[in-house]
């Protein structure tokens, strides 16, 4: 039986990741019978807002199968209207009880944004939108005196959790009502392990949600234009 609340969902993800790390995956819900069973509807127990990095395939690292995870991926797990709408669809229409922001060490999107800030040269094309979404996390890291790339990634993951809750009243209301939780995780590329970076448990009052009364971090002017 699939998890029905945030606590069960999170425990299931960690259990699946442990199987993946130790080399004993079960590959659940990947057989022909289950494929047919979920053809008429889906009830995923977790939304994964993950980085698009090719090494960060959620169904593999959490050892899950068809219909288990509702996965939305962008480089640097950046959050725009399409991502917010996808998350809101999952938690309202599908009733998914857990939202996970999944980042990873050595994130190329974060490193690219650092280089842009350092050189003051805006990237070409639509890469500018990606960089602009990451730069506020760099600003926060700078204010806190954080220079290590992976520590900056942790800040970016936590800030993405905040952004989801600050920009989506629908998600914030579900969290306040105790029907959904939001967790930020970081994945280690070499070891395959995930760890919790930030967590907003179900039932937390909306007034205390991250970002609820805090303006967005300003972006350095080095990337303007």
């Amino acid at each position: 039986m699939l998890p029905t609340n945030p606590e069960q969902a999170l425990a299931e993800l960690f259990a699946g990741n442990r199987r993946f790390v130790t080399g004993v995956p079960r590959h659940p819900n990947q057989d022909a019978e289950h494929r047919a069973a979920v053809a008429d509807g889906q009830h995923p127990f977790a939304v994964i807002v993950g980085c698009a990095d090719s090494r960060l395939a959620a169904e593999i690292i959490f050892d899950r199968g068809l219909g288990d995870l509702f996965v939305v991926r962008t480089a640097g797990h950046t959050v725009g209207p399409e991502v917010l709408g996808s998350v809101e669809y999952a938690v309202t229409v599908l009733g998914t009880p857990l939202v996970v922001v999944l980042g990873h060490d050595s994130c190329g999107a974060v490193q690219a944004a650092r280089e842009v800030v350092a050189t003051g040269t805006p990237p070409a094309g639509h890469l500018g939108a990606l960089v602009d979404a990451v730069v506020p996390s760099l600003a926060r890291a700078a204010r806190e005196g954080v220079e290590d790339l992976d520590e900056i990634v942790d800040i970016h993951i936590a800030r993405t959790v905040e952004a989801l809750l600050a920009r989506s009243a629908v998600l914030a209301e579900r969290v306040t009502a105790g029907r959904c939780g939001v967790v930020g995780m970081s994945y280690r590329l070499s070891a395959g392990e995930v760890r919790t970076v930030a967590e907003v448990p179900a039932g937390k009052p909306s007034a205390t949600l991250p970002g609820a009364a805090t303006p967005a971090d300003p972006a350095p002017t080095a990337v303007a234009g």
Side-chain angles (χ1 to χ4, degrees):
M1 180 178 295
L2 291 178
T4 58
N5 61 54
E7 295 77 18
Q8 292 174 354
L10 185 60
E12 190 63 36
L13 290 179
F14 274 115
N17 179 246
R18 176 49 49 189
R19 295 194 299 270
F20 169 67
V21 169
T22 56
V24 289
R26 295 206 311 256
H27 304 296
N29 300 332
Q30 297 183 22
D31 57 279
E33 182 179 357
H34 186 74
R35 182 183 68 222
V38 298
D40 292 332
Q42 59 172 322
H43 302 283
F45 67 84
V47 182
I48 310 295
V49 179
C51 180
D53 190 291
S54 62
R55 300 162 291 181
L56 205 67
E59 287 88 352
I60 294 176
I61 68 175
F62 289 118
D63 190 29
R64 298 309 312 182
L66 299 173
D68 293 339
L69 306 177
F70 192 90
V71 182
V72 186
R73 298 175 68 182
T74 62
H77 48 82
T78 54
V79 176
E82 295 83 1
V83 172
L84 292 171
S86 298
V87 171
E88 291 177 355
Y89 173 81
V91 300
T92 58
V93 177
L94 303 180
T96 308
L98 181 68
V99 177
V100 174
V101 174
L102 181 63
H104 63 92
D105 57 359
S106 305
C107 181
V110 174
Q111 181 59 44
R114 289 185 81 182
E115 293 174 0
V116 167
V117 171
T119 62
T121 304
H126 293 291
L127 285 174
L130 170 64
V131 168
D132 287 345
V134 177
V135 163
S137 297
L138 300 181
R140 180 176 296 182
R143 290 196 303 272
E144 297 177 4
V146 176
E147 298 182 355
D148 178 77
L149 175 61
D150 291 338
E151 291 181 15
I152 296 173
V153 170
D154 285 356
I155 289 174
H156 183 51
I157 292 170
R159 190 176 176 279
T160 305
V161 169
E162 295 176 10
L164 285 172
L165 291 163
R167 298 177 189 174
S168 174
V170 171
L171 177 59
E173 289 168 1
R174 302 286 288 196
V175 171
T176 301
R179 304 178 68 180
C180 187
V182 184
V183 175
M185 293 183 180
S186 183
Y187 174 77
R188 294 180 61 193
L189 294 172
S190 60
E193 297 175 339
V194 296
R195 60 183 174 83
T196 298
V197 172
E199 184 172 4
V200 180
K204 190 165 186 176
S206 58
T208 63
L209 290 177
T214 305
D217 297 312
T221 56
V223 297

